Amino acid sequence: AIVSGTTFDWFLPWPEEALTEVAMKFLTGADLTTEDPSLIGNIASVFGNSHTAVIHQSTKMQIEQKRHNYVTPTNYLELVKGYVSTLKEKQDTIGSNAFKLRNGLHKLD
């Protein structure tokens, strides 16, 4: 009966370098068009830094307000995947609009 009402907190924090490497893997595997290859590394670094900052703020919230906010690797993966899908969508939209603009300018000439 005691075990059924028990919650285990087995979420261990990932090192920031591991978070950055995971983001790099997702971003490089997404075939994103970029003129500057170092941009992908910088974006991956921002993901790692932001996830680590959220973990620190969640710990602070737990100490001050006695409220748990679980930050898991699944949250991080969803963040990176969401960014990649939104970026692809925006690149497609901008590419389509640029094509329409070029085509319209060509017809005007």
Side-chain angles (χ1 to χ4, degrees):
I2 291 177
V3 174
S4 65
T6 305
T7 303
F8 292 104
D9 184 5
W10 288 4
F11 301 118
L12 299 174
W14 284 10
E16 192 170 326
E17 297 82 23
L19 294 168
T20 302
E21 287 297 319
V22 168
M24 283 285 291
K25 182 165 177 74
F26 275 94
L27 291 170
T28 55
D31 295 330
L32 303 174
T33 56
T34 179
E35 295 176 9
D36 187 7
S38 68
L39 185 63
I40 292 177
N42 293 337
I43 293 170
S45 177
V46 167
F47 282 134
N49 290 338
S50 62
H51 190 74
T52 305
V54 169
I55 290 171
H56 291 301
Q57 289 300 319
S58 294
T59 304
K60 184 178 174 183
M61 185 174 88
Q62 188 246 297
I63 293 168
E64 292 176 359
Q65 300 178 1
K66 308 290 189 249
R67 295 185 63 178
H68 287 281
N69 179 38
Y70 294 105
V71 183
T72 64
T74 304
N75 299 129
Y76 182 72
L77 295 176
E78 289 175 359
L79 170 70
V80 175
K81 288 178 185 177
Y83 175 81
V84 168
S85 67
T86 302
L87 184 61
K88 283 183 179 181
E89 180 183 312
K90 294 299 179 183
Q91 283 179 336
D92 291 344
T93 302
I94 290 171
S96 174
N97 289 342
F99 175 75
K100 289 175 186 177
L101 180 64
R102 278 193 298 270
N103 191 22
L105 290 173
H106 180 70
K107 288 181 180 180
L108 287 174
D109 286 339

